[in-house]
Amino acid sequence: MATYNLNINGTNRQVDVESDTPMLWVLRDHLDLVGTKYGCGIAQCGACTIHLNGNAVRSCSVPVSAVGDQAVITIEGLSETVEKAEHAVQQAWLEHDVPQCGYCQAGQIMNAAALLTRNSNPSDEEIDDAMNGNICRCGTYIRIKAAIKTAASKMS
Amino acid sequence: MTLIKTRHNRRSFLKVSTAAGGGMILGFSWLASCTPKKEELLTMPDEWFDINAYIKIGENGVVTIMSPNPEIGQNVKTSMPMIVAEELDINWKHVVVEQADLNLIKYSRQLAGGSQSIRQGWQGLRMAGATARRMLMEAAAKQWQVPLGELTTADGIITHKASNQSIGYGEVASSAAGIEVPEEVELKDQKDFKIIGQPTKNVDGTKIATGQPLFGLDYKEDGMLTAMIIHAPAFGMKLKSYDASAVKSMPGIKDVITVQTEVEERQWSDTNAFTEIVAVVGNSTWEVMKAKKALNVEWEWDTPGENTDEHAQEFVKILESSAKEPARLDGNPKDAFKNAAQVVERFFSAPLLAHNTLEPMNFFAHVTSDKALLVGPIQTPEYLSKSAASVLGLDEKQITIQMTRMGGGFGRRLYGHFGIEAAVISQKIGAPIKLVYTREDDMTQGTYRPSYLVKYRAALDEDNNLIGIHIKGTGSHGSPIFANRFPAGTVDNYLAENLNFQTNISAGAWRAPRSNFMAGAEQAFLDEVAETAGKDPIDFRLELFDRAINNPVGERNDYDPERYAGVLKLVREKSGWGKDIPGVYRGVSAYFCHNSYVAQVLDMEMVSGKPVVKKVWCAVDCGIVVNPEGARNQIEGGIIDGIGHAMYSSLTIKNGAPEQHNFDRYRLIRHREAPVEIETFFVNNGIDPTGLGEPSLPPISGALANALYKATGKRLYRQPFTQQDIVLG
Ligand code: FES
Ligand code: FES
C-alpha cells in the first residue's frame, strides 16, 4: 500500500492503494466516481476513457503510480457543474439522443471531447480513427459521429 | 370512441390513494393491459391485478410516472410513460419519470425481453392515463357543480367553457383522490394524439451523459465487499480442488469459498453450465482480481470436451438424415424436386455468439438469516426470486429484488445465475457483497447464441416458377427453423424438417432468437433463387406474397403477407430500387419477427478495393410508433449489430474451452465499419404497437450478403463473413 495524492476533477484527492491499481478501480472503488466504466480491462473497449492532462487514456491500463500530478478529468468533471451536461459534447449527445443502454457513452464522450480539443474540425475519417477503440455494443455509432460533428460546429 | 373497462369480475386494475403532501396517486398494473385472449378472460392471471406502477399528480401540478420497467436500452422508460401522459392529456414537459421504488411494490411481474414491453403495456398504460384524467375531471365537475360531459382538458388544465372556468390538474388532485375509480373510461382517438408519435428524448439522457450511477455495477452499500468467481475453464469440467492458503493472506482478501448454485427445480431461466464455482471475496475489485489470478484451481472432466470443428462436421452428418416427423409438409415436395427443371441447393451456417453486453454480469446481495436484498441488472426478477429462495432456503416473501438500469441485455440477463451466485456468496460470507464478472468470466460462461446449419433447396419449373421448398436445420440448441413462417404458404410443395443435436455447451436467447440467423440465410438463399429464375429479387418476393395473399397454401401461416409486401414496396420506392447507380452494389432483404415487418436495401461501394456500407434503407411496420426518436435509434442499433455479428463475430470452442476471452480476439463491429447512413421509414397504419428492439437485426445479414455478392461476385454462406477474407471499410 502507498499513499497517492491525485488531482481529480480539479480537487486534491488522497488514496491508499497498491501501486499497480489501475486508475479505473481507484476511481470506482476508492473515490466513488463510478461514471468511468469497466468493459474489458485490457484497453480494448474504451468504456474506461478518462483525460490525463487533456489526453484520452484507458484508465483500466494506467496504474495509479503512473499518474503523478497530472490533471485527471472524469466524466463527472467534464462540465463545470456536477450533474449538468454543459460541455458541448454532452450537449450534442442529448441533442442527438445518442445512448441506448448508455453503458459505453461516458467513454465515448470523454474520447470525443479529447478529440475535439486536439482537432476542432475532424473529418469523417479522423473521427473514425479517433473513435475506433470505443466499442458500442448497442450500435449507436452513427449518432455518435453526428453528435461529434454538431459539437465541433458549436465549439468552433 | 373506444371505451375500456377498468375492472374484471369486480376486481379493479387500478387503485387510488392520497399522496403524501397532497395530490393523488393512481396505482395500476403495468400488465393489466395484455389484451386478454378468450380463455384468459375466464381466469385472469393474478399478476394482471398487481399494482406495480403509479401516476402521482402533486398539488403543484407536477405529474410523476413511476414505472417498474428496468431499462435495458430499448427506451421503454421513455416510451411507456409517453403512453400514460398521452391519455392523461398533459404536457410532456411537466412529466417526471422515475423508476418505481421496488422496495415498495416488490418487483413487477414484467419481463423485459422479446421486444414485447410496449405491445403488452399498450392498453393498460392508456387505461391508467385515461382513468386519472377522468377522475380529475369528475373532481372539477363536482367543485363547479357542472355536468362532467361539458368539461374538456388540454395540457393538464380542465376547462368548462360555458362558465368560463378552468383549473389545473394539481389543484383538484387532492379531491380526485377521494373519488371512486370509474368502471369504464374513454380512450383518445388516435388522430388526437399529441405525445405519441412525437420524437421524444430519452428521459435518462442527462444522467447518462454525466456519468451518474445508474447501472448494477455502480451500486454500493456501506460495508460491502467485492466478490469474483472462477468457473471451469471448459464446458464438461467440474471442480476438483484448490488451495487457497496463499491467496487468503493477500492484501484485502477476506475469503475464498466454494459456491453451489444448483437449483432443485430448474426453471428455464436457470440455464447455467457451471453450478459449482469458486469465489474470492475481498475489499476492492483490484485486490480481488489479483487474488483470483493467483489462485490455483484444479478441474476434472465430467463429460467430454467438445470442439467447434467437430460440431460443424456433426451438423453436416445430421442433415443427411431425415426428421421422423416433418415440422410442416404441404403438397408433394418429393415429386416437385424430381420433376423440377432446376434445383438450387445451399447450406448456410453461423457460429456460437456471446452476448457481450458491455456491462458484464454483476449483482449485489445482502443475505441475512431471515431476509435477502438482491440488486442488479436482471430481466426476470420473478424467476430469480423463486430460484434464489430455493437455493438460500428462504421463503420467497423474504426476498426483495431491485432492478437497476442494464448496460445491455440482448437476452443475456434473462438467465439470472449471477444473482443466485451473489446471494449464495453473501449468505456464506455473512456480509453484503457485490459480485463482479470480469469480461473473461462473462465471455466464457456460455449461454451462447447457438451455432446452426441449415440446408435450403428450391425447385423451379421450366417457366421459372417456384414449385418446391425444402428446409432442413439443426443447431447446438435445436433447429432454428420456423416452419410456418414465409416462404411457407407461398409454394405448393413445402417441407420443413428439424433435427436435434446434443451438446454440453449452454445456449440461451440472443437478440431475436433463431430469427437472427434464419432471416439472413433465407433472404440470401431466395436472392440466389431469384437470380437463377432470372427475376428481380424484389419482384420475385412480391410474386410469392401475391400467392400468399390470393391463394395461400396450408392452414397456418404465421405472417400477414400484405404487411410483408407493404414494407418491401415501401423500401423499393424509397431506395429507388431498379435504377442502376454506377459503383453502387445493392442487396435487399425482408423479414417478419416479434410481430413487426422489416425490409431493407443495403448500398455498398468499393473504396480502395474494400466494400463499404454507404447506406441502409429500412422500412418498418411495427404499428403505431410511440416514440420515433427512440424507435429510429433501436432500428439503427439492430442494423449495426446485425452487420457486425454477420461480418466479424464468432465464439469457437476447443476441447471444451472457449477460444475467445475478451475483445482482443472476439471481434465486435467498430466505428469505422458501421454504415455511413441509415434511413428509416415507418408504415403508418394505426395498428397497435408491436416489437422494436429486435426486428431490424435479423434481415440485415441477408441484405449484406446479397450486396457483397454484387460487389465481389462471391456468395457467402458461412458467418462470420470475414472467414471468406472480406472486411468492411
Ligand atoms: S475497460 Fe478499459 S478499455 Fe475496456
Ligand atoms: S449504448 Fe449500449 S453499449 Fe453503447
Side-chain angles (χ1 to χ4, degrees), chain B residues 585-602:
Chain B
Y585 306 96
R586 312 192 104 176
V588 64
S589 185
Y591 203 66
F592 161 70
C593 67
H594 295 86
N595 301 292
S596 299
Y597 298 80
V598 172
Q600 293 154 341
V601 168
L602 183 147

mmCIF file with all atom_site columns, all heavy atoms in Angstrom, chain B residues 585-602:
data_model
loop_
_atom_site.group_PDB
_atom_site.id
_atom_site.type_symbol
_atom_site.label_atom_id
_atom_site.label_alt_id
_atom_site.label_comp_id
_atom_site.label_asym_id
_atom_site.label_entity_id
_atom_site.label_seq_id
_atom_site.pdbx_PDB_ins_code
_atom_site.Cartn_x
_atom_site.Cartn_y
_atom_site.Cartn_z
_atom_site.occupancy
_atom_site.B_iso_or_equiv
_atom_site.pdbx_formal_charge
_atom_site.auth_seq_id
_atom_site.auth_comp_id
_atom_site.auth_asym_id
_atom_site.auth_atom_id
_atom_site.pdbx_PDB_model_num
ATOM 1   N N   . TYR B 1 585 ? -23.518 -1.129  -55.226 1.00 0.00 ? 585 TYR B N   1
ATOM 2   C CA  . TYR B 1 585 ? -23.975 -2.522  -55.250 1.00 0.00 ? 585 TYR B CA  1
ATOM 3   C C   . TYR B 1 585 ? -25.047 -2.678  -54.185 1.00 0.00 ? 585 TYR B C   1
ATOM 4   O O   . TYR B 1 585 ? -24.838 -2.322  -53.030 1.00 0.00 ? 585 TYR B O   1
ATOM 5   C CB  . TYR B 1 585 ? -22.796 -3.456  -54.993 1.00 0.00 ? 585 TYR B CB  1
ATOM 6   C CG  . TYR B 1 585 ? -21.660 -3.197  -55.943 1.00 0.00 ? 585 TYR B CG  1
ATOM 7   C CD1 . TYR B 1 585 ? -20.597 -2.374  -55.569 1.00 0.00 ? 585 TYR B CD1 1
ATOM 8   C CD2 . TYR B 1 585 ? -21.685 -3.728  -57.230 1.00 0.00 ? 585 TYR B CD2 1
ATOM 9   C CE1 . TYR B 1 585 ? -19.567 -2.104  -56.452 1.00 0.00 ? 585 TYR B CE1 1
ATOM 10  C CE2 . TYR B 1 585 ? -20.663 -3.460  -58.120 1.00 0.00 ? 585 TYR B CE2 1
ATOM 11  C CZ  . TYR B 1 585 ? -19.609 -2.638  -57.733 1.00 0.00 ? 585 TYR B CZ  1
ATOM 12  O OH  . TYR B 1 585 ? -18.596 -2.368  -58.610 1.00 0.00 ? 585 TYR B OH  1
ATOM 13  N N   . ARG B 1 586 ? -26.190 -3.218  -54.590 1.00 0.00 ? 586 ARG B N   1
ATOM 14  C CA  . ARG B 1 586 ? -27.325 -3.227  -53.669 1.00 0.00 ? 586 ARG B CA  1
ATOM 15  C C   . ARG B 1 586 ? -27.791 -4.634  -53.338 1.00 0.00 ? 586 ARG B C   1
ATOM 16  O O   . ARG B 1 586 ? -27.817 -5.522  -54.182 1.00 0.00 ? 586 ARG B O   1
ATOM 17  C CB  . ARG B 1 586 ? -28.519 -2.499  -54.297 1.00 0.00 ? 586 ARG B CB  1
ATOM 18  C CG  . ARG B 1 586 ? -28.187 -1.174  -54.894 1.00 0.00 ? 586 ARG B CG  1
ATOM 19  C CD  . ARG B 1 586 ? -29.456 -0.430  -55.220 1.00 0.00 ? 586 ARG B CD  1
ATOM 20  N NE  . ARG B 1 586 ? -29.655 0.611   -54.220 1.00 0.00 ? 586 ARG B NE  1
ATOM 21  C CZ  . ARG B 1 586 ? -30.652 1.491   -54.275 1.00 0.00 ? 586 ARG B CZ  1
ATOM 22  N NH1 . ARG B 1 586 ? -31.577 1.409   -55.207 1.00 0.00 ? 586 ARG B NH1 1
ATOM 23  N NH2 . ARG B 1 586 ? -30.761 2.415   -53.362 1.00 0.00 ? 586 ARG B NH2 1
ATOM 24  N N   . GLY B 1 587 ? -28.185 -4.791  -52.084 1.00 0.00 ? 587 GLY B N   1
ATOM 25  C CA  . GLY B 1 587 ? -28.796 -6.046  -51.659 1.00 0.00 ? 587 GLY B CA  1
ATOM 26  C C   . GLY B 1 587 ? -30.097 -5.732  -50.955 1.00 0.00 ? 587 GLY B C   1
ATOM 27  O O   . GLY B 1 587 ? -30.214 -4.705  -50.282 1.00 0.00 ? 587 GLY B O   1
ATOM 28  N N   . VAL B 1 588 ? -31.074 -6.635  -51.096 1.00 0.00 ? 588 VAL B N   1
ATOM 29  C CA  . VAL B 1 588 ? -32.369 -6.416  -50.453 1.00 0.00 ? 588 VAL B CA  1
ATOM 30  C C   . VAL B 1 588 ? -32.666 -7.599  -49.538 1.00 0.00 ? 588 VAL B C   1
ATOM 31  O O   . VAL B 1 588 ? -32.152 -8.702  -49.730 1.00 0.00 ? 588 VAL B O   1
ATOM 32  C CB  . VAL B 1 588 ? -33.491 -6.229  -51.501 1.00 0.00 ? 588 VAL B CB  1
ATOM 33  C CG1 . VAL B 1 588 ? -33.700 -7.495  -52.328 1.00 0.00 ? 588 VAL B CG1 1
ATOM 34  C CG2 . VAL B 1 588 ? -34.798 -5.798  -50.832 1.00 0.00 ? 588 VAL B CG2 1
ATOM 35  N N   . SER B 1 589 ? -33.513 -7.350  -48.548 1.00 0.00 ? 589 SER B N   1
ATOM 36  C CA  . SER B 1 589 ? -33.890 -8.396  -47.603 1.00 0.00 ? 589 SER B CA  1
ATOM 37  C C   . SER B 1 589 ? -35.170 -7.969  -46.899 1.00 0.00 ? 589 SER B C   1
ATOM 38  O O   . SER B 1 589 ? -35.437 -6.771  -46.773 1.00 0.00 ? 589 SER B O   1
ATOM 39  C CB  . SER B 1 589 ? -32.757 -8.573  -46.582 1.00 0.00 ? 589 SER B CB  1
ATOM 40  O OG  . SER B 1 589 ? -33.018 -9.635  -45.717 1.00 0.00 ? 589 SER B OG  1
ATOM 41  N N   . ALA B 1 590 ? -35.966 -8.943  -46.465 1.00 0.00 ? 590 ALA B N   1
ATOM 42  C CA  . ALA B 1 590 ? -37.178 -8.614  -45.702 1.00 0.00 ? 590 ALA B CA  1
ATOM 43  C C   . ALA B 1 590 ? -37.443 -9.742  -44.722 1.00 0.00 ? 590 ALA B C   1
ATOM 44  O O   . ALA B 1 590 ? -37.168 -10.907 -45.014 1.00 0.00 ? 590 ALA B O   1
ATOM 45  C CB  . ALA B 1 590 ? -38.370 -8.450  -46.640 1.00 0.00 ? 590 ALA B CB  1
ATOM 46  N N   . TYR B 1 591 ? -37.955 -9.391  -43.557 1.00 0.00 ? 591 TYR B N   1
ATOM 47  C CA  . TYR B 1 591 ? -38.252 -10.439 -42.583 1.00 0.00 ? 591 TYR B CA  1
ATOM 48  C C   . TYR B 1 591 ? -39.337 -9.979  -41.625 1.00 0.00 ? 591 TYR B C   1
ATOM 49  O O   . TYR B 1 591 ? -39.565 -8.784  -41.444 1.00 0.00 ? 591 TYR B O   1
ATOM 50  C CB  . TYR B 1 591 ? -36.995 -10.836 -41.800 1.00 0.00 ? 591 TYR B CB  1
ATOM 51  C CG  . TYR B 1 591 ? -37.086 -12.225 -41.199 1.00 0.00 ? 591 TYR B CG  1
ATOM 52  C CD1 . TYR B 1 591 ? -37.151 -13.356 -42.019 1.00 0.00 ? 591 TYR B CD1 1
ATOM 53  C CD2 . TYR B 1 591 ? -37.097 -12.405 -39.815 1.00 0.00 ? 591 TYR B CD2 1
ATOM 54  C CE1 . TYR B 1 591 ? -37.232 -14.633 -41.470 1.00 0.00 ? 591 TYR B CE1 1
ATOM 55  C CE2 . TYR B 1 591 ? -37.177 -13.691 -39.263 1.00 0.00 ? 591 TYR B CE2 1
ATOM 56  C CZ  . TYR B 1 591 ? -37.235 -14.791 -40.085 1.00 0.00 ? 591 TYR B CZ  1
ATOM 57  O OH  . TYR B 1 591 ? -37.320 -16.049 -39.550 1.00 0.00 ? 591 TYR B OH  1
ATOM 58  N N   . PHE B 1 592 ? -39.974 -10.975 -41.034 1.00 0.00 ? 592 PHE B N   1
ATOM 59  C CA  . PHE B 1 592 ? -41.006 -10.712 -40.053 1.00 0.00 ? 592 PHE B CA  1
ATOM 60  C C   . PHE B 1 592 ? -40.663 -11.471 -38.785 1.00 0.00 ? 592 PHE B C   1
ATOM 61  O O   . PHE B 1 592 ? -40.470 -12.684 -38.818 1.00 0.00 ? 592 PHE B O   1
ATOM 62  C CB  . PHE B 1 592 ? -42.359 -11.184 -40.586 1.00 0.00 ? 592 PHE B CB  1
ATOM 63  C CG  . PHE B 1 592 ? -43.390 -11.385 -39.514 1.00 0.00 ? 592 PHE B CG  1
ATOM 64  C CD1 . PHE B 1 592 ? -43.927 -10.288 -38.858 1.00 0.00 ? 592 PHE B CD1 1
ATOM 65  C CD2 . PHE B 1 592 ? -43.811 -12.650 -39.157 1.00 0.00 ? 592 PHE B CD2 1
ATOM 66  C CE1 . PHE B 1 592 ? -44.875 -10.474 -37.855 1.00 0.00 ? 592 PHE B CE1 1
ATOM 67  C CE2 . PHE B 1 592 ? -44.758 -12.835 -38.154 1.00 0.00 ? 592 PHE B CE2 1
ATOM 68  C CZ  . PHE B 1 592 ? -45.290 -11.746 -37.501 1.00 0.00 ? 592 PHE B CZ  1
ATOM 69  N N   . CYS B 1 593 ? -40.545 -10.759 -37.683 1.00 0.00 ? 593 CYS B N   1
ATOM 70  C CA  . CYS B 1 593 ? -40.427 -11.423 -36.390 1.00 0.00 ? 593 CYS B CA  1
ATOM 71  C C   . CYS B 1 593 ? -40.836 -10.454 -35.294 1.00 0.00 ? 593 CYS B C   1
ATOM 72  O O   . CYS B 1 593 ? -40.898 -9.251  -35.525 1.00 0.00 ? 593 CYS B O   1
ATOM 73  C CB  . CYS B 1 593 ? -39.023 -11.971 -36.150 1.00 0.00 ? 593 CYS B CB  1
ATOM 74  S SG  . CYS B 1 593 ? -37.749 -10.735 -35.972 1.00 0.00 ? 593 CYS B SG  1
ATOM 75  N N   . HIS B 1 594 ? -41.128 -11.005 -34.111 1.00 0.00 ? 594 HIS B N   1
ATOM 76  C CA  . HIS B 1 594 ? -41.577 -10.180 -32.993 1.00 0.00 ? 594 HIS B CA  1
ATOM 77  C C   . HIS B 1 594 ? -42.712 -9.242  -33.399 1.00 0.00 ? 594 HIS B C   1
ATOM 78  O O   . HIS B 1 594 ? -42.748 -8.071  -33.013 1.00 0.00 ? 594 HIS B O   1
ATOM 79  C CB  . HIS B 1 594 ? -40.402 -9.408  -32.389 1.00 0.00 ? 594 HIS B CB  1
ATOM 80  C CG  . HIS B 1 594 ? -39.398 -10.342 -31.780 1.00 0.00 ? 594 HIS B CG  1
ATOM 81  N ND1 . HIS B 1 594 ? -38.400 -10.927 -32.516 1.00 0.00 ? 594 HIS B ND1 1
ATOM 82  C CD2 . HIS B 1 594 ? -39.283 -10.826 -30.545 1.00 0.00 ? 594 HIS B CD2 1
ATOM 83  C CE1 . HIS B 1 594 ? -37.703 -11.724 -31.744 1.00 0.00 ? 594 HIS B CE1 1
ATOM 84  N NE2 . HIS B 1 594 ? -38.217 -11.689 -30.540 1.00 0.00 ? 594 HIS B NE2 1
ATOM 85  N N   . ASN B 1 595 ? -43.584 -9.762  -34.248 1.00 0.00 ? 595 ASN B N   1
ATOM 86  C CA  . ASN B 1 595 ? -44.798 -9.068  -34.670 1.00 0.00 ? 595 ASN B CA  1
ATOM 87  C C   . ASN B 1 595 ? -44.563 -7.830  -35.527 1.00 0.00 ? 595 ASN B C   1
ATOM 88  O O   . ASN B 1 595 ? -45.474 -7.052  -35.745 1.00 0.00 ? 595 ASN B O   1
ATOM 89  C CB  . ASN B 1 595 ? -45.659 -8.676  -33.454 1.00 0.00 ? 595 ASN B CB  1
ATOM 90  C CG  . ASN B 1 595 ? -46.054 -9.888  -32.646 1.00 0.00 ? 595 ASN B CG  1
ATOM 91  O OD1 . ASN B 1 595 ? -46.824 -10.712 -33.118 1.00 0.00 ? 595 ASN B OD1 1
ATOM 92  N ND2 . ASN B 1 595 ? -45.494 -10.040 -31.459 1.00 0.00 ? 595 ASN B ND2 1
ATOM 93  N N   . SER B 1 596 ? -43.344 -7.617  -35.960 1.00 0.00 ? 596 SER B N   1
ATOM 94  C CA  . SER B 1 596 ? -43.058 -6.459  -36.803 1.00 0.00 ? 596 SER B CA  1
ATOM 95  C C   . SER B 1 596 ? -42.461 -6.899  -38.141 1.00 0.00 ? 596 SER B C   1
ATOM 96  O O   . SER B 1 596 ? -41.818 -7.936  -38.229 1.00 0.00 ? 596 SER B O   1
ATOM 97  C CB  . SER B 1 596 ? -42.073 -5.513  -36.106 1.00 0.00 ? 596 SER B CB  1
ATOM 98  O OG  . SER B 1 596 ? -42.627 -5.039  -34.896 1.00 0.00 ? 596 SER B OG  1
ATOM 99  N N   . TYR B 1 597 ? -42.692 -6.077  -39.160 1.00 0.00 ? 597 TYR B N   1
ATOM 100 C CA  . TYR B 1 597 ? -42.211 -6.369  -40.510 1.00 0.00 ? 597 TYR B CA  1
ATOM 101 C C   . TYR B 1 597 ? -41.121 -5.371  -40.887 1.00 0.00 ? 597 TYR B C   1
ATOM 102 O O   . TYR B 1 597 ? -41.295 -4.165  -40.667 1.00 0.00 ? 597 TYR B O   1
ATOM 103 C CB  . TYR B 1 597 ? -43.363 -6.267  -41.522 1.00 0.00 ? 597 TYR B CB  1
ATOM 104 C CG  . TYR B 1 597 ? -44.458 -7.273  -41.239 1.00 0.00 ? 597 TYR B CG  1
ATOM 105 C CD1 . TYR B 1 597 ? -45.402 -7.030  -40.245 1.00 0.00 ? 597 TYR B CD1 1
ATOM 106 C CD2 . TYR B 1 597 ? -44.503 -8.483  -41.922 1.00 0.00 ? 597 TYR B CD2 1
ATOM 107 C CE1 . TYR B 1 597 ? -46.379 -7.967  -39.947 1.00 0.00 ? 597 TYR B CE1 1
ATOM 108 C CE2 . TYR B 1 597 ? -45.482 -9.422  -41.639 1.00 0.00 ? 597 TYR B CE2 1
ATOM 109 C CZ  . TYR B 1 597 ? -46.415 -9.154  -40.643 1.00 0.00 ? 597 TYR B CZ  1
ATOM 110 O OH  . TYR B 1 597 ? -47.381 -10.088 -40.341 1.00 0.00 ? 597 TYR B OH  1
ATOM 111 N N   . VAL B 1 598 ? -40.047 -5.883  -41.448 1.00 0.00 ? 598 VAL B N   1
ATOM 112 C CA  . VAL B 1 598 ? -38.931 -5.006  -41.803 1.00 0.00 ? 598 VAL B CA  1
ATOM 113 C C   . VAL B 1 598 ? -38.417 -5.383  -43.186 1.00 0.00 ? 598 VAL B C   1
ATOM 114 O O   . VAL B 1 598 ? -38.262 -6.573  -43.490 1.00 0.00 ? 598 VAL B O   1
ATOM 115 C CB  . VAL B 1 598 ? -37.769 -5.142  -40.783 1.00 0.00 ? 598 VAL B CB  1
ATOM 116 C CG1 . VAL B 1 598 ? -36.535 -4.375  -41.254 1.00 0.00 ? 598 VAL B CG1 1
ATOM 117 C CG2 . VAL B 1 598 ? -38.200 -4.644  -39.405 1.00 0.00 ? 598 VAL B CG2 1
ATOM 118 N N   . ALA B 1 599 ? -38.170 -4.392  -44.051 1.00 0.00 ? 599 ALA B N   1
ATOM 119 C CA  . ALA B 1 599 ? -37.499 -4.637  -45.326 1.00 0.00 ? 599 ALA B CA  1
ATOM 120 C C   . ALA B 1 599 ? -36.350 -3.653  -45.451 1.00 0.00 ? 599 ALA B C   1
ATOM 121 O O   . ALA B 1 599 ? -36.468 -2.497  -45.029 1.00 0.00 ? 599 ALA B O   1
ATOM 122 C CB  . ALA B 1 599 ? -38.465 -4.473  -46.495 1.00 0.00 ? 599 ALA B CB  1
ATOM 123 N N   . GLN B 1 600 ? -35.248 -4.138  -45.996 1.00 0.00 ? 600 GLN B N   1
ATOM 124 C CA  . GLN B 1 600 ? -34.052 -3.302  -46.061 1.00 0.00 ? 600 GLN B CA  1
ATOM 125 C C   . GLN B 1 600 ? -33.378 -3.383  -47.422 1.00 0.00 ? 600 GLN B C   1
ATOM 126 O O   . GLN B 1 600 ? -33.359 -4.441  -48.048 1.00 0.00 ? 600 GLN B O   1
ATOM 127 C CB  . GLN B 1 600 ? -33.039 -3.766  -44.996 1.00 0.00 ? 600 GLN B CB  1
ATOM 128 C CG  . GLN B 1 600 ? -33.518 -3.516  -43.575 1.00 0.00 ? 600 GLN B CG  1
ATOM 129 C CD  . GLN B 1 600 ? -32.909 -4.448  -42.550 1.00 0.00 ? 600 GLN B CD  1
ATOM 130 O OE1 . GLN B 1 600 ? -32.399 -5.512  -42.890 1.00 0.00 ? 600 GLN B OE1 1
ATOM 131 N NE2 . GLN B 1 600 ? -32.974 -4.058  -41.281 1.00 0.00 ? 600 GLN B NE2 1
ATOM 132 N N   . VAL B 1 601 ? -32.831 -2.261  -47.844 1.00 0.00 ? 601 VAL B N   1
ATOM 133 C CA  . VAL B 1 601 ? -31.942 -2.241  -49.005 1.00 0.00 ? 601 VAL B CA  1
ATOM 134 C C   . VAL B 1 601 ? -30.617 -1.698  -48.515 1.00 0.00 ? 601 VAL B C   1
ATOM 135 O O   . VAL B 1 601 ? -30.581 -0.673  -47.820 1.00 0.00 ? 601 VAL B O   1
ATOM 136 C CB  . VAL B 1 601 ? -32.500 -1.362  -50.140 1.00 0.00 ? 601 VAL B CB  1
ATOM 137 C CG1 . VAL B 1 601 ? -31.426 -1.113  -51.207 1.00 0.00 ? 601 VAL B CG1 1
ATOM 138 C CG2 . VAL B 1 601 ? -33.724 -2.020  -50.773 1.00 0.00 ? 601 VAL B CG2 1
ATOM 139 N N   . LEU B 1 602 ? -29.542 -2.439  -48.827 1.00 0.00 ? 602 LEU B N   1
ATOM 140 C CA  . LEU B 1 602 ? -28.212 -2.021  -48.380 1.00 0.00 ? 602 LEU B CA  1
ATOM 141 C C   . LEU B 1 602 ? -27.371 -1.627  -49.596 1.00 0.00 ? 602 LEU B C   1
ATOM 142 O O   . LEU B 1 602 ? -27.266 -2.387  -50.552 1.00 0.00 ? 602 LEU B O   1
ATOM 143 C CB  . LEU B 1 602 ? -27.559 -3.172  -47.604 1.00 0.00 ? 602 LEU B CB  1
ATOM 144 C CG  . LEU B 1 602 ? -26.177 -2.932  -46.989 1.00 0.00 ? 602 LEU B CG  1
ATOM 145 C CD1 . LEU B 1 602 ? -26.050 -3.717  -45.684 1.00 0.00 ? 602 LEU B CD1 1
ATOM 146 C CD2 . LEU B 1 602 ? -25.047 -3.317  -47.926 1.00 0.00 ? 602 LEU B CD2 1
#
